[in-house]
Amino acid sequence: MELSDAIEVSRVNNVFMRKGPRPLQVGSLVLIGHHLIFSPVPSCDGNSDDFWLLHRAVDRVLYEPVSKERPSKGGLLVLKCKNFMIIVFEIPNWDECQAAARSIETLSNINSCDHDYPFYYRCSFQVLDDGWKAFDSEEEFARLIVRCGDAFRISSVNEGFKVCPSYPEKVIVPKGIGDDYLRISATFRDGSRFPVLSYFHKHTKSCILRCGQPLIGPTNRRCKEDENILKSLLNHNRGTIIDTRAIQIAQNARSKGHFEGIAIKLSVIDFTNGCLWIFCCHNHCFEILIAFYLVMVA
């Protein structure tokens, strides 16, 4: 579909626009692929700047004739925007008013992101730096790996977002765990969110991992590969699972089997609002990580 196909009328002249508390303006309303443009007639007060509005910013389109008894007087086109701004256009021709309304309605409700404005934008200036390469995740992760020592590694298991669509392509995982284990663990976790490193304390060597809820099911299904990922971090350290879902939601999940099993001997299960976190830390610094966690969720 071409965006131009959705435009029934591209330009309407002698339009009155009322936008918020600003005074009434008269000018031309122009519809293009991603924007509507109101170009006012130059006035004595010098207020003749064009008004541009993304079709995506429009939440609701309303239109009605100025006079139901005499539709020839034209129509009112009301745009209610997502930022709560309300714009009213008075269009002298009722047919053009309806055509403009239908066009804006269609263009503001296109579902395909391929038609969004960023994919059509062309820079009017020379780009000096490539923003896509300004941040190299592998290079940044490599700095963290130096601090983590031999406990973690950078994995490309999610290359092309094939394993987990909500994880980046590069993730930090326990060093002794292969990518095959991560793929199997992803099938055992909600949203394919297998355990990955989120925080590492340089001095205490404590870490925070995050993952999705386990899909244990009513048969108490287990996943040895997933258990081995957690065991590889625990060793002789104390570990804590904190389920950050609301208590009621977590209890409902327990009845459906979407709850952390007892195969991994961890010390505490706690409830707050959010997602599932796994803490692995030494006994003497457990309070430090809990304090850090509370700051994050606040």
Side-chain angles (χ1 to χ4, degrees):
M1 171 188 173
E2 294 293 335
L3 296 177
S4 57
D5 296 339
I7 301 176
E8 299 182 29
V9 56
S10 59
R11 185 184 183 94
V12 182
N13 296 319
N14 300 320
V15 175
F16 290 89
M17 183 185 76
R18 184 168 62 252
K19 179 167 66 78
R22 295 173 178 81
L24 194 70
Q25 290 181 294
V26 61
S28 299
L29 178 64
V30 179
L31 300 182
I32 58 177
H34 295 96
H35 296 83
L36 67 84
I37 307 168
F38 180 78
S39 181
V41 175
S43 58
C44 57
D45 59 2
N47 186 13
S48 59
D49 293 336
D50 291 347
F51 170 70
W52 289 61
L53 179 69
L54 268 172
H55 296 307
R56 284 287 192 180
V58 177
D59 183 60
R60 192 176 181 189
V61 180
L62 303 173
Y63 58 97
E64 61 181 6
V66 174
S67 173
K68 294 182 179 180
E69 291 77 15
R70 299 179 60 186
S72 59
K73 284 191 172 183
L76 295 176
L77 172 60
V78 182
L79 304 181
K80 295 186 176 182
C81 301
K82 295 176 181 177
N83 63 351
F84 305 108
M85 179 173 63
I86 298 177
I87 309 169
V88 181
F89 296 99
E90 183 177 337
I91 300 176
N93 185 289
W94 174 234
D95 291 334
E96 290 183 338
C97 178
Q98 295 180 87
R102 289 192 298 266
S103 301
I104 297 172
E105 181 78 33
T106 302
L107 292 169
S108 63
N109 287 284
I110 295 178
N111 293 325
S112 174
C113 65
D114 295 337
H115 290 91
D116 284 350
Y117 181 58
F119 294 98
Y120 288 77
Y121 178 74
R122 297 293 179 268
C123 292
S124 58
F125 52 87
Q126 183 181 1
V127 179
L128 300 179
D129 295 323
D130 185 357
W132 292 106
K133 298 180 180 178
F135 177 84
D136 187 343
S137 59
E138 190 165 2
E139 180 180 341
E140 296 297 328
F141 282 173
R143 298 179 184 178
L144 297 177
I145 293 298
V146 172
R147 297 183 178 182
C148 296
D150 296 331
F152 296 93
R153 68 179 179 89
I154 301 173
S155 173
S156 302
V157 66
N158 201 36
E159 193 76 34
F161 308 99
K162 294 179 180 178
V163 177
C164 178
S166 59
Y167 274 176
E169 292 185 296
K170 306 288 185 182
V171 291
I172 300 180
V173 297
K175 189 171 184 179
I177 301 299
D179 288 348
D180 291 340
Y181 272 48
L182 299 177
R183 293 188 184 94
I184 297 174
S185 174
T187 63
F188 181 69
R189 295 281 177 178
D190 184 46
S192 301
R193 297 174 68 84
F194 54 90
V196 296
L197 181 69
S198 291
Y199 173 79
F200 183 81
H201 196 279
K202 179 180 179 181
H203 300 294
T204 62
K205 308 301 181 184
S206 299
C207 60
I208 301 177
L209 278 78
R210 65 177 303 174
C211 60
Q213 64 186 17
L215 304 178
I216 297 174
T219 59
N220 290 326
R221 173 182 169 227
R222 291 178 58 178
C223 178
K224 292 184 178 180
E225 291 79 6
D226 185 79
E227 294 173 12
N228 287 335
I229 294 176
L230 303 184
K231 288 178 180 177
S232 67
L233 293 170
L234 291 176
N235 294 327
H236 301 293
N237 302 332
R238 178 185 179 187
T240 302
I241 293 179
I242 297 185
D243 191 332
T244 60
R245 294 170 292 183
I247 295 179
Q248 187 63 41
I249 295 176
Q251 295 297 344
N252 292 337
R254 183 196 291 269
S255 63
K256 297 177 182 178
H258 297 168
F259 201 81
E260 203 71 39
I262 59 173
I264 303 296
K265 293 184 178 179
L266 302 172
S267 59
V268 179
I269 295 181
D270 191 13
F271 298 94
T272 49
N273 291 321
C275 59
L276 179 64
W277 292 79
I278 295 177
F279 288 72
C280 298
C281 49
H282 298 279
N283 291 331
H284 67 275
C285 63
F286 177 71
E287 293 78 13
I288 296 176
L289 280 182
I290 286 294
F292 175 81
Y293 166 74
L294 293 176
V295 170
M296 287 195 301
V297 298

